[in-house]
Amino acid sequence: MAQLRIYKVRSAGRVSIDGAPITIGRSSQNTVVLRSTEVSRHHCIIEVADGVTRIRDLGSHHGISVNGEPVTESALRDGDRIRVGRFELTFIDPDEAVQARIESDAAEREAEIRQREAEAAQREAETQREDLGNRLTEAQAKAESLEADLSWQIERHQASQHEIAQRSAAADRVIRQFASHREQLLEAWQKLAVIHHTLTAVETLWVETDEQTQDAEPADPQELQELLEQREAIADHLEAVHAARDAAMGNLQMTLHRLASLRAPTESLQQPAFPESPAHPRPVDRRRHKPFRVLGAAGLVLLAAALWWIFTATIMVSG
């Protein structure tokens, strides 16, 4: 049951509030009589309506205040301090106090639960942050690895481009040398053919002159002397033709040797100049070396043809 405690009287008093209106004033007709000139005859009234205790000013001269705030009407809660003149009254509601304690305990329990939930959420956030940090570190490591691999790929590409340029220039030089040596080989063959033809004609002339010399009569010494001189001249010319043939054969063999020496550059062009990485093997592109293999095969064919021509020419000259 609610109570009203009154202070600043001869002895503190209490008035129970059981549902009936309680009037406060200086008149003896009030439930609570407060003897003071600051209190009106009928100062205020406390009544209960719908379970709510309220205080209302009855038009007093000095008015009333609840918890230091002047009011004309106000609902009362447990512990509210009411000022009437120089008197102080305290509204006490045990049921409300118990309810307040229950609510306070519930609020404390709820606050404790919220604190535990907040701590759990903080721990989970720390775990997620740590996991995110690990993922970020792993992503940075992967990015560094990809950057290093990209740098290696760029360096490899640049080296490959430089290698391709060098091999192209070397291939051009080999092709030009091959064409030049081929022309020299054809020219030497043509000279050898001309020399062979000349040698055949000179040998035929020398045979005819020798026969004429043997058939000449000793009675004509002048004609015999002319035939002998002509035979000597033909013999000298025949010796010069043989020397030219030997020189042509030497030039032909030198040209063949130069053609054979071109195989070494073509084979070196087929070897990769850029070192391979064990972690990044490069597949072999066989089409890339096909021109060099064709060039080497053509050189071998021409070399075999030239050797056959020399062999044939040697047989023809010897015959």
Side-chain angles (χ1 to χ4, degrees), residues 102-118:
I102 294 174
E103 292 178 356
S104 177
D105 294 341
E108 290 180 358
R109 287 194 298 272
E110 184 177 0
E112 184 178 358
I113 292 173
R114 289 181 178 178
Q115 184 178 1
R116 291 179 180 177
E117 291 178 350

Side-chain angles (χ1 to χ4, degrees), residues 26 46 90 117 131 209 244 300:
R26 194 176 66 247
I46 298 176
T90 302
E117 291 178 350
D131 182 62
T209 304
L300 289 177

Side-chain angles (χ1 to χ4, degrees), residues 111-257:
E112 184 178 358
I113 292 173
R114 289 181 178 178
Q115 184 178 1
R116 291 179 180 177
E117 291 178 350
E119 292 176 354
Q122 184 178 1
R123 288 193 298 270
E124 184 178 0
E126 291 178 355
T127 303
Q128 292 180 355
R129 181 175 58 187
E130 183 178 359
D131 182 62
L132 182 61
N134 294 334
R135 291 183 180 179
L136 181 60
T137 302
E138 184 179 356
Q140 290 177 349
K142 289 183 178 180
E144 292 176 357
S145 176
L146 289 175
E147 184 178 0
D149 183 69
L150 180 60
S151 299
W152 185 85
Q153 292 288 346
I154 293 174
E155 181 181 356
R156 174 183 173 182
H157 177 70
Q158 292 176 351
S160 298
Q161 293 296 326
H162 182 66
E163 175 190 352
I164 290 173
Q166 289 183 342
R167 292 193 175 191
S168 298
D172 292 339
R173 289 195 299 270
V174 170
I175 291 173
R176 289 193 299 268
Q177 292 176 2
F178 182 82
S180 175
H181 294 335
R182 185 182 61 182
E183 294 296 331
Q184 292 177 4
L185 181 63
L186 293 177
E187 183 179 356
W189 166 248
Q190 292 175 358
K191 287 182 179 180
L192 186 62
V194 171
I195 291 172
H196 174 71
H197 180 72
T198 304
L199 182 61
T200 303
V202 171
E203 287 180 348
T204 303
L205 181 61
W206 187 85
V207 171
E208 292 177 356
T209 304
D210 186 65
E211 289 178 355
Q212 291 177 4
T213 303
Q214 293 178 1
D215 294 339
E217 295 180 359
D220 192 359
Q222 184 178 1
E223 181 179 0
L224 180 61
Q225 184 65 28
E226 291 178 356
L227 289 175
L228 289 173
E229 291 177 357
Q230 184 177 4
R231 185 179 67 175
E232 290 296 330
I234 293 173
D236 294 339
H237 186 62
L238 182 61
E239 185 177 356
V241 171
H242 277 287
R245 183 196 64 180
D246 295 338
M249 290 290 292
N251 292 333
L252 186 61
Q253 291 177 358
M254 185 180 297
T255 304
L256 290 175
H257 178 71

